[in-house]
Amino acid sequence: EVQLVESGGGLVKPGGSLRLSCVASGFSFSHDTLTWVRQTPGRGLEWVSSISSSGSHTYYADSLKGRLTISRDNAKNSLYLQMNSLRAEDTAVYYCGRFATGLDAFDIWGQGTMVTVSS
Amino acid sequence: QSVVTQPPSASGTPGQSVTISCAGSRSNIGSNTVNWYQQFPGTAPKLLIYTMNQRPSGVPDRFSGSKSGTSASLAISGLQSEDEADYYCAAWDDSLNGYVFGTGTRVSVL
């Protein structure tokens, strides 16, 4: 079965750090660009970061640059998002997704992991 | 705040047609392919339309997409109750060097 499964979310205090993980199965993980997208409660979708298949190219939303690091371990079929200096406005559901080059779109999504930043 | 704007809501009765607009700019919709995603409450988004008007396997042909200049549209014909969901357009933005989602439209079936 083709799927992405996120983990690592939880409650963290402002200024704290969190590392999200996303494990893939059922497709050629190492061939694909992967992405993190977040959705704040009751709000819309926001692209967060993307990483190329080899990990050599990374992209970040301007508003989040400097506080995030996206990485991947192709041997473990895993994607990561290290988030530092967290703020209340980072509270959201974080989804990992596959960007299918042939479709030029995100075609596989995880179920999401909730991050809550609160004192 | 997203640089791509959609109406917050749209509605219709079963069997009617509904069209959702998506207004962007030259750096996103005007220069790149547009995708549409469908999302039900509490679930992850699902790819609905890619490369302007292509449907992944399993998506009914009641859904269709189009683009003109810096705007795009999603049309749902023969509206059904199971179409009640949030719909987002999206495209790469060359100026932001990132992906942008529209503000989202909630479709209600009356």
Side-chain angles (χ1 to χ4, degrees):
Chain A
E1 183 188 2
V2 172
Q3 65 175 355
L4 294 166
V5 179
E6 303 96 334
S7 61
L11 175 63
V12 60
K13 288 181 167 49
S17 297
L18 211 56
R19 189 196 197 205
L20 305 183
S21 300
C22 172
V23 178
S25 60
F27 63 94
S28 300
F29 179 86
S30 62
H31 294 170
D32 294 310
T33 291
L34 298 169
T35 291
W36 289 98
V37 171
R38 72 182 183 182
Q39 185 166 36
T40 50
R43 300 281 300 278
L45 299 168
E46 179 185 16
W47 172 78
V48 171
S49 179
S50 292
I51 186 167
S52 63
S53 56
S54 66
S56 58
H57 295 93
T58 56
Y59 308 86
Y60 299 95
D62 283 343
S63 60
L64 299 166
K65 213 172 283 186
R67 298 194 295 121
L68 304 181
T69 302
I70 189 172
S71 62
R72 64 191 295 165
D73 184 336
N74 286 343
K76 294 182 178 179
N77 281 4
S78 294
L79 171 72
Y80 307 102
L81 185 68
Q82 177 68 42
M83 302 189 294
N84 301 323
S85 303
L86 284 162
R87 307 166 182 167
E89 53 265 36
D90 295 319
T91 295
V93 175
Y94 287 73
Y95 296 101
C96 65
R98 180 181 82 165
F99 186 82
T101 304
L103 306 184
D104 212 14
F106 302 119
D107 68 334
I108 302 172
W109 296 72
Q111 85 287 351
T113 186
M114 182 72 203
V115 172
T116 303
V117 183
S118 175
S119 54
Chain B
Q1 187 137 2
S2 178
V3 298
V4 177
T5 305
Q6 299 176 231
S9 63
S11 62
T13 56
Q16 278 189 332
S17 294
V18 167
T19 299
I20 301 168
S21 61
C22 171
S25 64
R26 196 160 39 193
S27 63
N28 43 64
I29 294 176
S31 304
N32 298 294
T33 188
V34 178
N35 303 311
W36 289 89
Y37 299 90
Q38 179 189 55
Q39 185 181 34
F40 297 103
T43 69
K46 167 193 161 186
L47 179 62
L48 191 69
I49 297 284
Y50 65 95
T51 319
M52 247 73 77
N53 195 23
Q54 303 301 306
R55 291 181 305 278
S57 173
V59 174
D61 58 6
R62 302 185 292 102
F63 294 92
S64 62
S66 63
K67 182 177 107 166
S68 178
T70 59
S71 294
S73 295
L74 174 72
I76 310 173
S77 62
L79 196 62
Q80 298 182 9
S81 57
E82 57 260 37
D83 299 334
E84 279 207 337
D86 295 325
Y87 294 84
Y88 295 89
C89 59
W92 182 262
D93 191 299
D94 294 332
S95 296
L96 297 175
N97 203 29
Y99 205 71
V100 289
F101 288 92
T103 49
T105 299
R106 175 151 295 180
V107 169
S108 301
V109 182
L110 305 174

